[in-house]
């Protein structure tokens, strides 16, 4: 019997780390203070996943231009967000942290993907409809409309396997898959189709002032959210004033959206199952519960805030981290764009 020989050299070699690891991509806009919603729905998961995945995290400053914006504020917030992500635990030795606009391939691909995107699809996007509100066509920017195509380009250009996001982004990831699939069918297999990676806990943290609306950094009132930079006494005050449900039971249930939200936050901040918290606070009043929750949030955020203070004064180091991130991102995007130009007839 002939001995089996490996057919190719590749079969002899152990898979490289990068080949085994899933690639994740997820971006965040520099459009306001980071909130507890961003942290629990997205950033906390990125920090966990950077150990086992090949992670790319763009600060999506081009997306932040889709509403009205102030150039100086945009510049400042981009750097502040980089510092915020590092303070939360994004490690530039593991994850690729970069600024979207530094990678021209994102915008070039956006235009090409527009050819595979239908007007009707963009009009159906919930985020578009919400952000547009009651504004007329004449007052609605085309950037707001095309926003999901740019997001699709951010994702597809890296051949990301997973996109770890909060629940609000599910529809954009589905659209990204549809666009990628259409492109592959038309021009041949080019892009990997990504999966949305939405966790069961924390994917939709609700506003403290209104548990029917998500916690958002662009909320009208700061009572809606806890900013990662809020001082401990501000955190305690906001939690103390958070709306509750009728009745006095401290349980997570469908008819108790406010308590469910507060218990979810408590659980994630202290790594304690919700059921344990329900048992601990059985018969207790909202006052005690809210005091303890305020302390738990303040304690969890304290080391993040301390790191943030240090990083804010180290602008040169921040710039160098982002510069290195640009280089690493372009190692992926430049060859990918060459391929896209090839299959679409742009390269001569
Ligand atoms: P954005 O602030 O809109 O750029 O969102 C950045 C990331 O945070 C995205 O993955 C969002 O899905 C996530 N996110 C934003 N707000 C919340 C929230 N209230 N609950 C959970 N995740 C959120
Ligand atoms: N639209 C996302 C948000 O509002 C931000 C974003 C832009 C994004 N590009 C992305 C998220 C790529 C994930 C992947 O949160």
């Amino acid at each position: 019997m002939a001995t089996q020989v490996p057919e190719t050299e590749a079969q002899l070699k152990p898979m490289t780390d990068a080949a085994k690891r899933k690639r994740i991509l997820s971006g965040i806009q520099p459009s306001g203070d980071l909130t507890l919603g961003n942290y629990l729905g997205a950033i906390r998961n990125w920090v966990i996943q950077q150990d086992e995945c090949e992670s790319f995290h763009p600060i999506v400053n081009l997306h932040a231009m889709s509403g009205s914006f102030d150039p100086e504020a945009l510049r400042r917030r981009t750097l502040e967000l980089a510092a915020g992500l590092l303070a939360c635990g994004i490690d530039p030795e593991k994850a690729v942290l970069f600024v979207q606009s530094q990678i021209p391939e994102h915008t070039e691909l956006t235009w090409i993907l527009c050819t595979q995107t239908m007007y009707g699809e963009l009009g159906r996007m919930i985020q578009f409809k919400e952000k547009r509100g009651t504004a007329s066509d004449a007052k609605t920017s085309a950037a707001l409309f095309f926003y999901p195509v740019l997001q699709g380009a951010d994702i597809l250009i890296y051949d990301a396997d997973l996109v770890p996001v909060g629940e609000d982004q599910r529809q954009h990831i589905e659209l990204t898959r549809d666009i990628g699939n259409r492109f592959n069918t038309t021009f041949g297999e080019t892009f990997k189709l990504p999966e949305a990676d939405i966790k069961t806990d924390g994917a939709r943290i609700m506003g403290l002032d209104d548990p029917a609306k998500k916690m958002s950094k662009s909320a009208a009132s700061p009572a809606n959210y806890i900013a990662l930079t809020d001082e401990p006494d501000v955190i305690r005050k906001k939690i103390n004033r958070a709306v509750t449900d009728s009745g006095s039971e401290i349980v997570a249930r469908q008819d108790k959206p406010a308590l469910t939200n507060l218990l979810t936050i408590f659980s994630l901040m202290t790594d304690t199952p919700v059921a344990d918290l329900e048992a601990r606070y059985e018969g207790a009043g909202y006052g005690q519960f809210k005091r303890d929750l305020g302390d738990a949030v303040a304690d969890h955020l304290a080391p993040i805030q301390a790191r943030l203070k240090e990083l804010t004064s180290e602008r040169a180091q921040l710039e160098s981290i982002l510069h290195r991130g640009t280089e690493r991102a372009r190692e992926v995007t430049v060859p990918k764009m060459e391929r896209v130009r090839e299959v679409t007839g742009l390269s001569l």
Side-chain angles (χ1 to χ4, degrees), residues 26-31 35 37-43 46 60 127 131 147 164-169 202-206 214-217:
S26 196
I28 183 161
Q29 301 185 65
S31 53
T35 71
N38 295 132
Y39 180 68
L40 295 178
I43 303 166
W46 305 350
V60 293
Q127 190 168 307
K131 291 221 167 141
Y147 177 113
V165 281
E167 178 63 44
D168 61 337
Q169 295 303 308
R204 195 165 169 81
I205 299 295
M206 309 311 283
K214 73 166 185 177
M215 183 180 284
S216 167
K217 53 192 168 196

PDB file of all heavy atoms in Angstrom, residues 26-31 35 37-43 46 60 127 131 147 164-169 202-206 214-217, ligand 1:
ATOM      1  N   SER A  26     -15.698  46.542  12.914  1.00  0.00           N
ATOM      2  CA  SER A  26     -16.807  47.338  13.416  1.00  0.00           C
ATOM      3  C   SER A  26     -16.344  48.758  13.652  1.00  0.00           C
ATOM      4  O   SER A  26     -15.253  48.984  14.178  1.00  0.00           O
ATOM      5  CB  SER A  26     -17.363  46.730  14.703  1.00  0.00           C
ATOM      6  OG  SER A  26     -18.633  47.284  14.950  1.00  0.00           O
ATOM      7  N   GLY A  27     -17.172  49.696  13.216  1.00  0.00           N
ATOM      8  CA  GLY A  27     -16.791  51.103  13.307  1.00  0.00           C
ATOM      9  C   GLY A  27     -17.674  51.873  14.265  1.00  0.00           C
ATOM     10  O   GLY A  27     -18.720  51.397  14.707  1.00  0.00           O
ATOM     11  N   ILE A  28     -17.229  53.065  14.561  1.00  0.00           N
ATOM     12  CA  ILE A  28     -17.996  53.929  15.474  1.00  0.00           C
ATOM     13  C   ILE A  28     -17.792  55.383  15.064  1.00  0.00           C
ATOM     14  O   ILE A  28     -16.704  55.764  14.639  1.00  0.00           O
ATOM     15  CB  ILE A  28     -17.579  53.639  16.934  1.00  0.00           C
ATOM     16  CG1 ILE A  28     -18.394  54.462  17.911  1.00  0.00           C
ATOM     17  CG2 ILE A  28     -16.088  53.864  17.161  1.00  0.00           C
ATOM     18  CD1 ILE A  28     -18.379  53.916  19.326  1.00  0.00           C
ATOM     19  N   GLN A  29     -18.870  56.154  15.185  1.00  0.00           N
ATOM     20  CA  GLN A  29     -18.805  57.543  14.710  1.00  0.00           C
ATOM     21  C   GLN A  29     -18.275  58.500  15.777  1.00  0.00           C
ATOM     22  O   GLN A  29     -18.691  58.397  16.929  1.00  0.00           O
ATOM     23  CB  GLN A  29     -20.214  58.033  14.381  1.00  0.00           C
ATOM     24  CG  GLN A  29     -20.919  57.229  13.341  1.00  0.00           C
ATOM     25  CD  GLN A  29     -22.247  57.854  13.001  1.00  0.00           C
ATOM     26  OE1 GLN A  29     -22.312  58.956  12.473  1.00  0.00           O
ATOM     27  NE2 GLN A  29     -23.318  57.161  13.312  1.00  0.00           N
ATOM     28  N   PRO A  30     -17.435  59.438  15.365  1.00  0.00           N
ATOM     29  CA  PRO A  30     -16.979  60.465  16.311  1.00  0.00           C
ATOM     30  C   PRO A  30     -17.991  61.606  16.372  1.00  0.00           C
ATOM     31  O   PRO A  30     -17.679  62.735  16.007  1.00  0.00           O
ATOM     32  CB  PRO A  30     -15.643  60.924  15.692  1.00  0.00           C
ATOM     33  CG  PRO A  30     -15.828  60.734  14.222  1.00  0.00           C
ATOM     34  CD  PRO A  30     -16.787  59.582  14.050  1.00  0.00           C
ATOM     35  N   SER A  31     -19.202  61.285  16.801  1.00  0.00           N
ATOM     36  CA  SER A  31     -20.242  62.310  16.695  1.00  0.00           C
ATOM     37  C   SER A  31     -20.783  62.754  18.042  1.00  0.00           C
ATOM     38  O   SER A  31     -21.825  63.368  18.124  1.00  0.00           O
ATOM     39  CB  SER A  31     -21.377  61.818  15.808  1.00  0.00           C
ATOM     40  OG  SER A  31     -21.827  60.570  16.265  1.00  0.00           O
ATOM     41  N   THR A  35     -21.177  56.602  24.995  1.00  0.00           N
ATOM     42  CA  THR A  35     -22.162  56.310  26.046  1.00  0.00           C
ATOM     43  C   THR A  35     -22.009  54.883  26.557  1.00  0.00           C
ATOM     44  O   THR A  35     -21.335  54.055  25.929  1.00  0.00           O
ATOM     45  CB  THR A  35     -23.603  56.441  25.518  1.00  0.00           C
ATOM     46  OG1 THR A  35     -23.845  55.346  24.629  1.00  0.00           O
ATOM     47  CG2 THR A  35     -23.826  57.763  24.801  1.00  0.00           C
ATOM     48  N   GLY A  37     -24.263  52.836  26.301  1.00  0.00           N
ATOM     49  CA  GLY A  37     -24.854  52.010  25.241  1.00  0.00           C
ATOM     50  C   GLY A  37     -23.782  51.559  24.254  1.00  0.00           C
ATOM     51  O   GLY A  37     -23.701  50.376  23.899  1.00  0.00           O
ATOM     52  N   ASN A  38     -22.929  52.479  23.813  1.00  0.00           N
ATOM     53  CA  ASN A  38     -21.822  52.115  22.920  1.00  0.00           C
ATOM     54  C   ASN A  38     -20.925  51.076  23.587  1.00  0.00           C
ATOM     55  O   ASN A  38     -20.478  50.121  22.959  1.00  0.00           O
ATOM     56  CB  ASN A  38     -20.918  53.320  22.599  1.00  0.00           C
ATOM     57  CG  ASN A  38     -21.621  54.407  21.814  1.00  0.00           C
ATOM     58  OD1 ASN A  38     -21.524  55.579  22.164  1.00  0.00           O
ATOM     59  ND2 ASN A  38     -22.327  54.032  20.765  1.00  0.00           N
ATOM     60  N   TYR A  39     -20.658  51.322  24.860  1.00  0.00           N
ATOM     61  CA  TYR A  39     -19.729  50.452  25.583  1.00  0.00           C
ATOM     62  C   TYR A  39     -20.298  49.043  25.725  1.00  0.00           C
ATOM     63  O   TYR A  39     -19.638  48.057  25.399  1.00  0.00           O
ATOM     64  CB  TYR A  39     -19.418  51.074  26.956  1.00  0.00           C
ATOM     65  CG  TYR A  39     -18.475  50.254  27.791  1.00  0.00           C
ATOM     66  CD1 TYR A  39     -17.145  50.093  27.414  1.00  0.00           C
ATOM     67  CD2 TYR A  39     -18.905  49.619  28.957  1.00  0.00           C
ATOM     68  CE1 TYR A  39     -16.265  49.331  28.166  1.00  0.00           C
ATOM     69  CE2 TYR A  39     -18.038  48.857  29.713  1.00  0.00           C
ATOM     70  CZ  TYR A  39     -16.730  48.711  29.317  1.00  0.00           C
ATOM     71  OH  TYR A  39     -15.867  47.942  30.059  1.00  0.00           O
ATOM     72  N   LEU A  40     -21.549  48.959  26.187  1.00  0.00           N
ATOM     73  CA  LEU A  40     -22.122  47.631  26.461  1.00  0.00           C
ATOM     74  C   LEU A  40     -22.554  46.917  25.184  1.00  0.00           C
ATOM     75  O   LEU A  40     -22.470  45.696  25.086  1.00  0.00           O
ATOM     76  CB  LEU A  40     -23.305  47.752  27.436  1.00  0.00           C
ATOM     77  CG  LEU A  40     -22.914  48.255  28.828  1.00  0.00           C
ATOM     78  CD1 LEU A  40     -24.146  48.392  29.712  1.00  0.00           C
ATOM     79  CD2 LEU A  40     -21.895  47.323  29.489  1.00  0.00           C
ATOM     80  N   GLY A  41     -23.021  47.691  24.186  1.00  0.00           N
ATOM     81  CA  GLY A  41     -23.499  47.061  22.957  1.00  0.00           C
ATOM     82  C   GLY A  41     -22.371  46.712  22.000  1.00  0.00           C
ATOM     83  O   GLY A  41     -22.509  45.802  21.186  1.00  0.00           O
ATOM     84  N   ALA A  42     -21.267  47.431  22.078  1.00  0.00           N
ATOM     85  CA  ALA A  42     -20.231  47.234  21.076  1.00  0.00           C
ATOM     86  C   ALA A  42     -18.818  47.128  21.668  1.00  0.00           C
ATOM     87  O   ALA A  42     -18.204  46.056  21.638  1.00  0.00           O
ATOM     88  CB  ALA A  42     -20.296  48.363  20.043  1.00  0.00           C
ATOM     89  N   ILE A  43     -18.311  48.209  22.228  1.00  0.00           N
ATOM     90  CA  ILE A  43     -16.868  48.286  22.541  1.00  0.00           C
ATOM     91  C   ILE A  43     -16.392  47.177  23.491  1.00  0.00           C
ATOM     92  O   ILE A  43     -15.334  46.583  23.297  1.00  0.00           O
ATOM     93  CB  ILE A  43     -16.528  49.668  23.141  1.00  0.00           C
ATOM     94  CG1 ILE A  43     -16.950  50.772  22.165  1.00  0.00           C
ATOM     95  CG2 ILE A  43     -15.047  49.787  23.444  1.00  0.00           C
ATOM     96  CD1 ILE A  43     -16.969  52.160  22.764  1.00  0.00           C
ATOM     97  N   TRP A  46     -15.748  44.206  21.565  1.00  0.00           N
ATOM     98  CA  TRP A  46     -14.541  44.310  20.731  1.00  0.00           C
ATOM     99  C   TRP A  46     -13.301  43.995  21.565  1.00  0.00           C
ATOM    100  O   TRP A  46     -12.372  43.350  21.094  1.00  0.00           O
ATOM    101  CB  TRP A  46     -14.376  45.712  20.140  1.00  0.00           C
ATOM    102  CG  TRP A  46     -15.546  46.210  19.353  1.00  0.00           C
ATOM    103  CD1 TRP A  46     -16.639  45.506  18.949  1.00  0.00           C
ATOM    104  CD2 TRP A  46     -15.738  47.551  18.868  1.00  0.00           C
ATOM    105  NE1 TRP A  46     -17.491  46.320  18.248  1.00  0.00           N
ATOM    106  CE2 TRP A  46     -16.964  47.576  18.184  1.00  0.00           C
ATOM    107  CE3 TRP A  46     -14.991  48.725  18.947  1.00  0.00           C
ATOM    108  CZ2 TRP A  46     -17.457  48.728  17.577  1.00  0.00           C
ATOM    109  CZ3 TRP A  46     -15.474  49.879  18.349  1.00  0.00           C
ATOM    110  CH2 TRP A  46     -16.704  49.876  17.667  1.00  0.00           C
ATOM    111  N   VAL A  60     -15.341  56.176  12.196  1.00  0.00           N
ATOM    112  CA  VAL A  60     -15.959  56.503  10.905  1.00  0.00           C
ATOM    113  C   VAL A  60     -16.345  57.987  10.833  1.00  0.00           C
ATOM    114  O   VAL A  60     -17.488  58.373  10.938  1.00  0.00           O
ATOM    115  CB  VAL A  60     -17.141  55.549  10.576  1.00  0.00           C
ATOM    116  CG1 VAL A  60     -16.616  54.130  10.347  1.00  0.00           C
ATOM    117  CG2 VAL A  60     -18.185  55.498  11.684  1.00  0.00           C
ATOM    118  N   GLN A 127     -32.718  53.496  10.098  1.00  0.00           N
ATOM    119  CA  GLN A 127     -31.898  54.596  10.624  1.00  0.00           C
ATOM    120  C   GLN A 127     -32.058  55.853   9.769  1.00  0.00           C
ATOM    121  O   GLN A 127     -32.108  56.967  10.290  1.00  0.00           O
ATOM    122  CB  GLN A 127     -30.427  54.174  10.704  1.00  0.00           C
ATOM    123  CG  GLN A 127     -29.562  55.169  11.447  1.00  0.00           C
ATOM    124  CD  GLN A 127     -28.161  54.624  11.776  1.00  0.00           C
ATOM    125  OE1 GLN A 127     -27.997  53.557  12.356  1.00  0.00           O
ATOM    126  NE2 GLN A 127     -27.156  55.368  11.388  1.00  0.00           N
ATOM    127  N   LYS A 131     -33.400  59.207  11.380  1.00  0.00           N
ATOM    128  CA  LYS A 131     -32.541  60.404  11.420  1.00  0.00           C
ATOM    129  C   LYS A 131     -33.154  61.531  10.596  1.00  0.00           C
ATOM    130  O   LYS A 131     -32.997  62.704  10.904  1.00  0.00           O
ATOM    131  CB  LYS A 131     -31.134  60.084  10.912  1.00  0.00           C
ATOM    132  CG  LYS A 131     -30.383  59.181  11.851  1.00  0.00           C
ATOM    133  CD  LYS A 131     -28.926  59.579  12.011  1.00  0.00           C
ATOM    134  CE  LYS A 131     -28.308  58.849  13.196  1.00  0.00           C
ATOM    135  NZ  LYS A 131     -26.955  58.414  13.003  1.00  0.00           N
ATOM    136  N   TYR A 147     -25.436  56.764   3.365  1.00  0.00           N
ATOM    137  CA  TYR A 147     -24.696  56.314   4.548  1.00  0.00           C
ATOM    138  C   TYR A 147     -24.493  54.791   4.611  1.00  0.00           C
ATOM    139  O   TYR A 147     -23.375  54.310   4.811  1.00  0.00           O
ATOM    140  CB  TYR A 147     -25.473  56.849   5.765  1.00  0.00           C
ATOM    141  CG  TYR A 147     -25.009  56.496   7.139  1.00  0.00           C
ATOM    142  CD1 TYR A 147     -24.504  57.465   8.002  1.00  0.00           C
ATOM    143  CD2 TYR A 147     -25.122  55.193   7.643  1.00  0.00           C
ATOM    144  CE1 TYR A 147     -24.115  57.158   9.289  1.00  0.00           C
ATOM    145  CE2 TYR A 147     -24.735  54.878   8.915  1.00  0.00           C
ATOM    146  CZ  TYR A 147     -24.231  55.857   9.742  1.00  0.00           C
ATOM    147  OH  TYR A 147     -23.852  55.535  11.017  1.00  0.00           O
ATOM    148  N   PRO A 164     -19.449  42.883  14.837  1.00  0.00           N
ATOM    149  CA  PRO A 164     -20.047  42.986  16.163  1.00  0.00           C
ATOM    150  C   PRO A 164     -20.637  44.377  16.402  1.00  0.00           C
ATOM    151  O   PRO A 164     -19.903  45.356  16.474  1.00  0.00           O
ATOM    152  CB  PRO A 164     -18.872  42.713  17.119  1.00  0.00           C
ATOM    153  CG  PRO A 164     -17.644  42.980  16.332  1.00  0.00           C
ATOM    154  CD  PRO A 164     -17.978  42.903  14.875  1.00  0.00           C
ATOM    155  N   VAL A 165     -21.948  44.448  16.493  1.00  0.00           N
ATOM    156  CA  VAL A 165     -22.655  45.725  16.614  1.00  0.00           C
ATOM    157  C   VAL A 165     -23.837  45.570  17.558  1.00  0.00           C
ATOM    158  O   VAL A 165     -24.202  44.454  17.940  1.00  0.00           O
ATOM    159  CB  VAL A 165     -23.222  46.195  15.244  1.00  0.00           C
ATOM    160  CG1 VAL A 165     -22.146  46.822  14.381  1.00  0.00           C
ATOM    161  CG2 VAL A 165     -23.915  45.058  14.520  1.00  0.00           C
ATOM    162  N   GLY A 166     -24.441  46.705  17.881  1.00  0.00           N
ATOM    163  CA  GLY A 166     -25.699  46.691  18.623  1.00  0.00           C
ATOM    164  C   GLY A 166     -26.846  46.369  17.679  1.00  0.00           C
ATOM    165  O   GLY A 166     -26.693  46.399  16.444  1.00  0.00           O
ATOM    166  N   GLU A 167     -27.988  46.078  18.271  1.00  0.00           N
ATOM    167  CA  GLU A 167     -29.173  45.653  17.518  1.00  0.00           C
ATOM    168  C   GLU A 167     -29.560  46.656  16.412  1.00  0.00           C
ATOM    169  O   GLU A 167     -30.022  46.273  15.337  1.00  0.00           O
ATOM    170  CB  GLU A 167     -30.320  45.477  18.529  1.00  0.00           C
ATOM    171  CG  GLU A 167     -31.654  45.080  17.955  1.00  0.00           C
ATOM    172  CD  GLU A 167     -31.636  43.722  17.277  1.00  0.00           C
ATOM    173  OE1 GLU A 167     -31.056  42.783  17.830  1.00  0.00           O
ATOM    174  OE2 GLU A 167     -32.210  43.623  16.170  1.00  0.00           O
ATOM    175  N   ASP A 168     -29.353  47.956  16.669  1.00  0.00           N
ATOM    176  CA  ASP A 168     -29.790  48.977  15.701  1.00  0.00           C
ATOM    177  C   ASP A 168     -29.105  48.846  14.341  1.00  0.00           C
ATOM    178  O   ASP A 168     -29.578  49.416  13.361  1.00  0.00           O
ATOM    179  CB  ASP A 168     -29.569  50.387  16.285  1.00  0.00           C
ATOM    180  CG  ASP A 168     -28.104  50.679  16.604  1.00  0.00           C
ATOM    181  OD1 ASP A 168     -27.332  49.722  16.789  1.00  0.00           O
ATOM    182  OD2 ASP A 168     -27.733  51.859  16.645  1.00  0.00           O
ATOM    183  N   GLN A 169     -28.001  48.107  14.275  1.00  0.00           N
ATOM    184  CA  GLN A 169     -27.260  48.009  13.009  1.00  0.00           C
ATOM    185  C   GLN A 169     -27.593  46.760  12.196  1.00  0.00           C
ATOM    186  O   GLN A 169     -27.035  46.540  11.121  1.00  0.00           O
ATOM    187  CB  GLN A 169     -25.743  48.053  13.278  1.00  0.00           C
ATOM    188  CG  GLN A 169     -25.278  49.381  13.848  1.00  0.00           C
ATOM    189  CD  GLN A 169     -25.647  50.530  12.928  1.00  0.00           C
ATOM    190  OE1 GLN A 169     -25.360  50.518  11.740  1.00  0.00           O
ATOM    191  NE2 GLN A 169     -26.322  51.531  13.483  1.00  0.00           N
ATOM    192  N   GLY A 202     -27.166  43.350  26.247  1.00  0.00           N
ATOM    193  CA  GLY A 202     -26.517  44.652  26.047  1.00  0.00           C
ATOM    194  C   GLY A 202     -26.633  45.200  24.646  1.00  0.00           C
ATOM    195  O   GLY A 202     -26.161  46.296  24.364  1.00  0.00           O
ATOM    196  N   ALA A 203     -27.267  44.448  23.731  1.00  0.00           N
ATOM    197  CA  ALA A 203     -27.317  44.889  22.339  1.00  0.00           C
ATOM    198  C   ALA A 203     -28.245  46.089  22.141  1.00  0.00           C
ATOM    199  O   ALA A 203     -28.194  46.754  21.112  1.00  0.00           O
ATOM    200  CB  ALA A 203     -27.752  43.746  21.434  1.00  0.00           C
ATOM    201  N   ARG A 204     -29.088  46.337  23.124  1.00  0.00           N
ATOM    202  CA  ARG A 204     -29.974  47.492  23.023  1.00  0.00           C
ATOM    203  C   ARG A 204     -30.198  48.087  24.415  1.00  0.00           C
ATOM    204  O   ARG A 204     -31.142  47.722  25.112  1.00  0.00           O
ATOM    205  CB  ARG A 204     -31.287  47.078  22.358  1.00  0.00           C
ATOM    206  CG  ARG A 204     -32.097  48.258  21.889  1.00  0.00           C
ATOM    207  CD  ARG A 204     -33.187  47.826  20.915  1.00  0.00           C
ATOM    208  NE  ARG A 204     -34.117  48.914  20.680  1.00  0.00           N
ATOM    209  CZ  ARG A 204     -33.906  49.924  19.837  1.00  0.00           C
ATOM    210  NH1 ARG A 204     -32.801  49.974  19.119  1.00  0.00           N
ATOM    211  NH2 ARG A 204     -34.791  50.873  19.696  1.00  0.00           N
ATOM    212  N   ILE A 205     -29.298  48.942  24.795  1.00  0.00           N
ATOM    213  CA  ILE A 205     -29.426  49.647  26.078  1.00  0.00           C
ATOM    214  C   ILE A 205     -30.352  50.838  25.843  1.00  0.00           C
ATOM    215  O   ILE A 205     -30.182  51.587  24.871  1.00  0.00           O
ATOM    216  CB  ILE A 205     -28.029  50.102  26.578  1.00  0.00           C
ATOM    217  CG1 ILE A 205     -27.095  48.907  26.806  1.00  0.00           C
ATOM    218  CG2 ILE A 205     -28.153  50.960  27.840  1.00  0.00           C
ATOM    219  CD1 ILE A 205     -27.504  47.952  27.907  1.00  0.00           C
ATOM    220  N   MET A 206     -31.335  50.974  26.713  1.00  0.00           N
ATOM    221  CA  MET A 206     -32.355  51.993  26.478  1.00  0.00           C
ATOM    222  C   MET A 206     -32.051  53.287  27.233  1.00  0.00           C
ATOM    223  O   MET A 206     -31.232  53.299  28.164  1.00  0.00           O
ATOM    224  CB  MET A 206     -33.735  51.443  26.886  1.00  0.00           C
ATOM    225  CG  MET A 206     -34.064  50.080  26.281  1.00  0.00           C
ATOM    226  SD  MET A 206     -33.793  49.974  24.503  1.00  0.00           S
ATOM    227  CE  MET A 206     -35.222  50.836  23.882  1.00  0.00           C
ATOM    228  N   LYS A 214     -33.668  54.003  22.405  1.00  0.00           N
ATOM    229  CA  LYS A 214     -32.332  53.528  22.752  1.00  0.00           C
ATOM    230  C   LYS A 214     -31.487  54.662  23.338  1.00  0.00           C
ATOM    231  O   LYS A 214     -31.710  55.834  23.023  1.00  0.00           O
ATOM    232  CB  LYS A 214     -31.643  52.904  21.534  1.00  0.00           C
ATOM    233  CG  LYS A 214     -31.185  53.883  20.495  1.00  0.00           C
ATOM    234  CD  LYS A 214     -30.222  53.258  19.480  1.00  0.00           C
ATOM    235  CE  LYS A 214     -29.728  54.374  18.572  1.00  0.00           C
ATOM    236  NZ  LYS A 214     -28.755  53.995  17.596  1.00  0.00           N
ATOM    237  N   MET A 215     -30.573  54.277  24.203  1.00  0.00           N
ATOM    238  CA  MET A 215     -29.625  55.249  24.734  1.00  0.00           C
ATOM    239  C   MET A 215     -28.768  55.743  23.580  1.00  0.00           C
ATOM    240  O   MET A 215     -28.241  54.933  22.814  1.00  0.00           O
ATOM    241  CB  MET A 215     -28.753  54.589  25.812  1.00  0.00           C
ATOM    242  CG  MET A 215     -27.788  55.550  26.470  1.00  0.00           C
ATOM    243  SD  MET A 215     -26.757  54.782  27.756  1.00  0.00           S
ATOM    244  CE  MET A 215     -27.887  54.629  29.114  1.00  0.00           C
ATOM    245  N   SER A 216     -28.664  57.061  23.448  1.00  0.00           N
ATOM    246  CA  SER A 216     -27.948  57.576  22.281  1.00  0.00           C
ATOM    247  C   SER A 216     -27.189  58.850  22.613  1.00  0.00           C
ATOM    248  O   SER A 216     -27.698  59.722  23.328  1.00  0.00           O
ATOM    249  CB  SER A 216     -28.965  57.870  21.176  1.00  0.00           C
ATOM    250  OG  SER A 216     -28.355  58.626  20.157  1.00  0.00           O
ATOM    251  N   LYS A 217     -25.963  58.951  22.058  1.00  0.00           N
ATOM    252  CA  LYS A 217     -25.161  60.141  22.322  1.00  0.00           C
ATOM    253  C   LYS A 217     -25.747  61.368  21.640  1.00  0.00           C
ATOM    254  O   LYS A 217     -25.382  62.493  21.961  1.00  0.00           O
ATOM    255  CB  LYS A 217     -23.714  59.917  21.901  1.00  0.00           C
ATOM    256  CG  LYS A 217     -23.512  59.445  20.484  1.00  0.00           C
ATOM    257  CD  LYS A 217     -22.065  58.980  20.298  1.00  0.00           C
ATOM    258  CE  LYS A 217     -21.865  58.230  19.009  1.00  0.00           C
ATOM    259  NZ  LYS A 217     -20.616  57.484  19.007  1.00  0.00           N
TER     260      LYS A 217
HETATM  261  P1  LIG B   1     -22.709  54.852  16.952  1.00  0.00           P
HETATM  262  O1  LIG B   1     -22.571  55.579  18.232  1.00  0.00           O
HETATM  263  O2  LIG B   1     -24.053  55.055  16.322  1.00  0.00           O
HETATM  264  O3  LIG B   1     -21.565  55.066  16.019  1.00  0.00           O
HETATM  265  O4  LIG B   1     -22.682  53.315  17.357  1.00  0.00           O
HETATM  266  C1  LIG B   1     -21.504  52.605  17.638  1.00  0.00           C
HETATM  267  C2  LIG B   1     -21.820  51.200  18.112  1.00  0.00           C
HETATM  268  O5  LIG B   1     -22.525  51.241  19.361  1.00  0.00           O
HETATM  269  C3  LIG B   1     -22.740  50.417  17.153  1.00  0.00           C
HETATM  270  O6  LIG B   1     -22.310  49.072  17.123  1.00  0.00           O
HETATM  271  C4  LIG B   1     -24.095  50.514  17.784  1.00  0.00           C
HETATM  272  O7  LIG B   1     -24.927  49.433  17.445  1.00  0.00           O
HETATM  273  C5  LIG B   1     -23.732  50.490  19.265  1.00  0.00           C
HETATM  274  N1  LIG B   1     -24.748  51.169  20.071  1.00  0.00           N
HETATM  275  C6  LIG B   1     -25.092  52.482  20.001  1.00  0.00           C
HETATM  276  N2  LIG B   1     -26.070  52.767  20.883  1.00  0.00           N
HETATM  277  C7  LIG B   1     -26.358  51.598  21.518  1.00  0.00           C
HETATM  278  C8  LIG B   1     -27.303  51.238  22.554  1.00  0.00           C
HETATM  279  N3  LIG B   1     -28.130  52.122  23.090  1.00  0.00           N
HETATM  280  N4  LIG B   1     -27.307  49.944  22.974  1.00  0.00           N
HETATM  281  C9  LIG B   1     -26.460  49.039  22.440  1.00  0.00           C
HETATM  282  N5  LIG B   1     -25.571  49.318  21.473  1.00  0.00           N
HETATM  283  C10 LIG B   1     -25.508  50.584  21.012  1.00  0.00           C
END
